[in-house]
Amino acid sequence: MKLVLRVLLFLLVVIGLVTCEKLEENLLEGPIELSTQEQRFLTENDCDGAVRLCYNALAFDDWWQVHFWRLCNDAATDDAWVGDTVKNYDINPPRISNNPLDSNKARNDTIAAPPFKRRVEIMQAGHYTLDTRGERLRDFYQSNFKGIFLCNSAISGLSTSKIAENVKNRLTAEAKFLRGFYYFELVKNFGGVPVITSVVTTEYLDTMTRASVSKVYRQIKQDMTEAAAVLPTLTEQNAKDRGRATQGAALAFLAKAELYDGNWAAALAAAKKVIEAGDYALEPNFGELWDPSNVNSREFIFSIGTGVWAFNAFGNPIPLMCGTRAEKGWGYLCPTSNLEQHYLLDQDSVRLKWTIIKHQQPVPGDTTKRFNARPDVSKSARFSRKLYTPSQQRFGGSGTKLPNNLIFMRYADLLLIAAEAAYHTNNTGIAVEYLGQVRQRAKLNLNTGLSGTELLNAIYKERRSELAFEGHRLFDLRRTKRLDQVFGLNGAFVRHNQGGTDFYETSNKREKQDKGVKYTANKHELWPIPQDELNRRRGLRQNPGY
């Protein structure tokens, strides 16, 4: 807690935004409003600083606010094992709160354990035994709402500021884009959540209720549409502003929101605006995407260059969290043999090479001769190359964070969004064209005669191949209603592991081989609302099954 406070206080000293007392209240007591009366919107620097703070909520300054739960989402897929087997994880440990604000009943619903024991949540998520009491689950929920409240505060303060109108409009559009992004994070994970678009009182927060999923998507689409109407294109954007939201980013996320909401024609229309504008393109060499120095790739529609980006100079903790223990990593998210087989069956050597590192094999793009996966404490003796920092580039980060880019939207994802939407609108030729572009970059052919279910399945398959370990797989399975095809007693991934022959996976039993067998339909399509929130926000209700 104190680390985030110190870092954000540093930012606030620089830009003069908020009193320390109010900031501490916001950081330590959960998602509480940030009053515009305690912010300054007098100068352009004040206003820009308020929006910069909204950007900071994309990653905050440490591993626990949002990054860890993003790993939990990937752990809940057929792409990854939880991986680390150093600790003897108890999937459902007893947890008692030491928070004096909790009633005796509530104390049984909250974690109070040493930090290393709290990481049990990733095992619970990965093996579908998660309950409502986790701290990292709560942190992710609250951190996204903190981002939303910062955006609401910035939008409110900007509305009465006296700065140049064009600057005011751009900054407001950026805040709306970010608010839409944070709501998208919440609705994907939890379903309907409270929709709040203005500065509100603490008393209101205590009684707020959940909006429907459709209402949350309406707000996301409204924010992205309004942002796209004002934001500059990539070519119009000043070089000093690279990394900030653009029109293309707003339209790309609009297309994705429409896809998730099942509005195929609208998704295709938004995606085509970005594609036809020509500002973005596929990186010719797939491997170049994972070079930390490649901050301004034309494929990155929205990303953070953590080693150089002024809004978040704290580095990226994910390479450490997903690194081998032989190199002082935490050992999480070991690729599965199921994912490796997925690439091999398609003869996809390019993306296999840049997605999976195996024990005692060379690491592409690194000077290391042989990779040490520590099979004795690693479930599969594989790690993700996408989340790896080459040894010669590790000096760019701090002691616990490295300079890898955080990529939230890239052009390949958008092409596949457009392909899927085109399929559903009977634009088969367009779907095949966009799908073919992604496969061509990977040096793979495409049957141009694909149509019907075969085409749709090819698009689904391509999304897994292209976007593994980028935070999309779980939500792709959820939104397309295919989780029960992968997990559960008869799921393909569960069956694969029951008959598993991979030496490392079958040798290391400290992470159970039956991952996914406890998946329950009509429950695990969403994560639970954190129990802390239910205890404090009387108007909230839990998701089914929890």
Side-chain angles (χ1 to χ4, degrees), residues 125-136:
H127 286 252
Y128 286 92
T129 64
L130 185 74
D131 59 30
T132 66
R133 300 170 293 173
E135 283 193 341
R136 301 292 82 86

Side-chain angles (χ1 to χ4, degrees), residues 104-218:
N104 288 334
K105 178 178 184 298
R107 290 180 188 180
N108 295 323
D109 296 325
T110 308
I111 285 180
F116 75 90
K117 291 185 179 178
R118 294 174 190 169
R119 298 175 194 164
V120 72
E121 287 172 74
I122 194 170
M123 189 67 77
Q124 291 180 320
H127 286 252
Y128 286 92
T129 64
L130 185 74
D131 59 30
T132 66
R133 300 170 293 173
E135 283 193 341
R136 301 292 82 86
L137 177 78
R138 180 203 64 195
D139 293 337
F140 184 81
Y141 182 95
Q142 291 185 350
S143 294
N144 279 285
F145 266 112
K146 288 172 185 175
I148 289 166
F149 295 147
L150 287 167
C151 293
N152 289 343
S153 182
I155 292 167
S156 176
L158 284 162
S159 67
T160 58
S161 68
K162 305 300 182 184
I163 65 173
E165 204 67 20
N166 65 321
V167 177
K168 178 195 295 190
N169 291 341
R170 176 178 59 80
L171 292 175
T172 300
E174 289 183 31
K176 287 182 176 180
F177 167 83
L178 291 166
R179 182 172 66 186
F181 178 94
Y182 299 132
Y183 268 121
F184 202 8
E185 290 285 275
L186 288 168
V187 74
K188 290 187 301 180
N189 279 272
F190 305 104
V193 293
V195 173
I196 304 168
T197 57
S198 60
V199 178
V200 297
T201 64
T202 304
E203 291 72 25
Y204 175 83
L205 293 179
D206 289 340
T207 60
M208 63 186 180
T209 59
R210 297 176 66 179
S212 66
V213 170
S214 60
K215 183 174 181 180
V216 180
Y217 274 113
R218 283 199 299 273

Side-chain angles (χ1 to χ4, degrees), residues 277-391:
D279 286 342
Y280 304 95
L282 293 173
E283 187 75 43
N285 182 345
F286 185 75
E288 290 297 319
L289 291 168
W290 320 113
D291 180 350
S293 67
N294 188 14
V295 178
N296 292 322
S297 170
R298 283 186 64 194
E299 186 158 345
F300 298 163
I301 296 178
F302 187 58
S303 65
I304 300 174
T306 61
V308 298
W309 199 48
F311 307 150
N312 190 318
F314 315 118
N316 183 347
I318 292 176
L320 175 74
M321 298 162 76
C322 297
T324 172
R325 285 192 171 271
E327 298 174 1
K328 300 183 179 180
W330 296 6
Y332 291 131
L333 294 192
C334 291
T336 63
S337 63
N338 182 273
L339 177 63
E340 182 178 8
Q341 185 179 78
H342 171 85
Y343 288 116
L344 293 173
L345 288 173
D346 198 24
Q347 298 182 336
D348 189 349
S349 59
V350 172
R351 289 181 295 201
L352 173 59
K353 172 183 175 180
W354 290 99
T355 303
I356 298 177
I357 312 169
K358 297 184 71 173
H359 181 57
Q360 289 299 305
Q361 292 189 2
V363 181
D366 200 337
T367 55
T368 303
K369 292 182 179 180
R370 288 288 184 268
F371 182 70
N372 182 1
R374 285 286 308 276
D376 56 319
V377 292
S378 163
K379 175 63 177 175
S380 72
R382 298 166 174 85
F383 283 84
S384 172
R385 176 60 181 85
K386 290 182 177 181
L387 307 180
Y388 177 87
T389 308
S391 54

